[in-house]
Amino acid sequence: MLYLQILYSFTSDDITTTIVPITLFAVVAGPLCNFQRFSHIVFWIWLHLLHFNVANQIIDPQEDGKNKSSRPIPAGLISLEDALVLRWALIPICLALSACYSFQVFGLSLVLTLFIIFYNELKAHEHWISKNFITAVGYACFEIGSTLIAGKDMSRLEPTAISAICLSLAVFTSTLHAQDFKDVEGDRLIGRQTLPIAFPNLARTSMLVALPLWSICLSRVWGVDTLCTLAFTGYAAMVGLRFMTCKTSKAARMSCKLYSLWFSVAHLLPAYWRYFHEGQNYAF
């Protein structure tokens, strides 16, 4: 049980920000061909997220000790030496699992592996331009891989799935700095230049503008009715306003959670299109 607790603790902070929205996205974009694939999707996402997080958390454990002491290395659940072994052992494990599904899923796992090295060992995380680029590409790999696993043919994507992934990538790229506000204090201590640190006013204003605009755009693309569009856009405006006006670390954490909820709902909109515009052609 201790080993499971350690593995879980590496990824616990990213359940609502990564695992939940990507899983929901894969289920509706794939679409999910049968119930058995659901567990495969969740495990594939979690395993690759574990790979990324272990690689990330061994880079600067001293900084984690000051700002994120609950993480497994500063909490003493695992030694840095053992975490290093786990970090490199996860590469063949992720690749082998992905190869069981299709060559395309294996390729995405390989791309993720290379970009994880670029992000961590090659220090791409230190500047907001390279950090955001690598994060966006990585997120796209997560979405494409999980969507392939969900579908009937794990070697290709349906046209609706391709459109959904392109839109999701655009949304994520323009709003992913929402997750950096809560880490401003720790990032500033180690000299990391995230967008909220380099351009704080621009970063906050972009949230106020981008969330409502994307809500309207996505609602139009996926044929959402007027009432749901107003509710979705109103919620987005409220979240964007929080980023503008609530600037404490505690407030930023809550804003990030509210953003994650908005992002998860955005990931579900292709299901609206499939149900009301394509018909009930898939089973949950």
Side-chain angles (χ1 to χ4, degrees):
M1 286 298 295
L2 176 60
Y3 296 113
L4 293 177
Q5 180 186 352
I6 293 171
L7 296 178
Y8 171 78
S9 63
F10 272 113
T11 58
S12 59
D13 290 341
D14 298 309
I15 292 175
T16 58
T17 60
T18 304
I19 296 177
V20 170
I22 295 179
T23 300
L24 292 176
F25 180 85
V27 167
V28 301
L32 184 67
C33 64
N34 58 61
F35 279 118
Q36 288 72 26
R37 291 282 182 87
F38 184 83
S39 59
H40 289 256
I41 295 167
V42 174
F43 184 72
W44 188 88
I45 296 170
W46 175 82
L47 185 65
H48 285 78
L49 181 63
L50 176 66
H51 177 197
F52 171 79
N53 282 357
V54 174
N56 181 253
Q57 292 177 31
I58 63 175
I59 295 299
D60 196 346
Q62 288 83 8
E63 185 266 333
D64 279 349
K66 297 176 182 177
N67 302 290
K68 299 170 184 176
S69 58
S70 61
R71 285 184 170 181
I73 297 175
L77 296 177
I78 185 173
S79 67
L80 180 60
E81 291 75 17
D82 289 341
L84 281 166
V85 172
L86 177 62
R87 184 261 182 276
W88 295 108
L90 282 167
I91 292 178
I93 293 172
C94 288
L95 293 174
L97 174 68
S98 300
C100 294
Y101 294 111
S102 70
F103 175 78
Q104 288 75 14
V105 177
F106 171 82
L108 290 164
S109 182
L110 180 60
V111 171
L112 270 173
T113 296
L114 295 176
F115 274 80
I116 287 171
I117 293 173
F118 186 33
Y119 185 94
N120 293 292
E121 279 77 14
L122 299 183
K123 308 294 184 182
H125 63 274
E126 292 184 348
H127 194 277
W128 69 270
I129 295 178
S130 55
K131 178 180 185 294
N132 288 10
F133 172 74
I134 296 298
T135 303
V137 172
Y139 204 87
C141 290
F142 271 103
E143 289 193 333
I144 297 171
S146 58
T147 302
L148 284 170
I149 294 171
K152 291 181 180 179
D153 186 348
M154 289 186 281
S155 64
R156 67 180 185 88
L157 297 169
E158 292 186 358
T160 300
I162 295 173
S163 299
I165 288 169
C166 290
L167 283 169
S168 177
L169 179 59
V171 172
F172 185 69
T173 301
S174 59
T175 64
L176 63 88
H177 54 280
Q179 301 176 20
D180 292 328
F181 286 100
K182 68 181 187 303
D183 298 324
V184 164
E185 293 179 4
D187 288 339
R188 187 177 283 117
L189 283 175
I190 62 172
R192 181 180 293 153
Q193 285 293 307
T194 61
L195 191 61
I197 292 175
F199 303 101
N201 292 330
L202 174 63
R204 293 187 182 280
T205 303
S206 69
M207 298 305 297
L208 179 62
V209 174
L211 297 188
L213 286 181
W214 273 122
S215 298
I216 296 170
C217 177
L218 293 173
S219 296
R220 291 290 299 273
V221 169
W222 299 118
V224 179
D225 65 76
T226 302
L227 183 60
C228 291
T229 298
L230 289 174
F232 186 45
T233 305
Y235 178 78
M238 182 272 290
V239 177
L241 186 62
R242 272 192 60 93
F243 278 106
M244 279 292 295
T245 59
C246 304
K247 300 181 179 181
T248 65
S249 297
K250 182 178 180 180
R253 287 192 290 272
M254 176 55 67
S255 296
C256 184
K257 291 179 181 178
L258 296 175
Y259 163 80
S260 296
L261 177 58
W262 175 85
F263 197 52
S264 295
V265 174
H267 275 56
L268 283 173
L269 295 184
Y272 189 99
W273 170 267
R274 289 191 184 278
Y275 185 83
F276 289 104
H277 301 280
E278 286 187 345
Q280 300 181 33
N281 296 324
Y282 63 100
F284 286 94

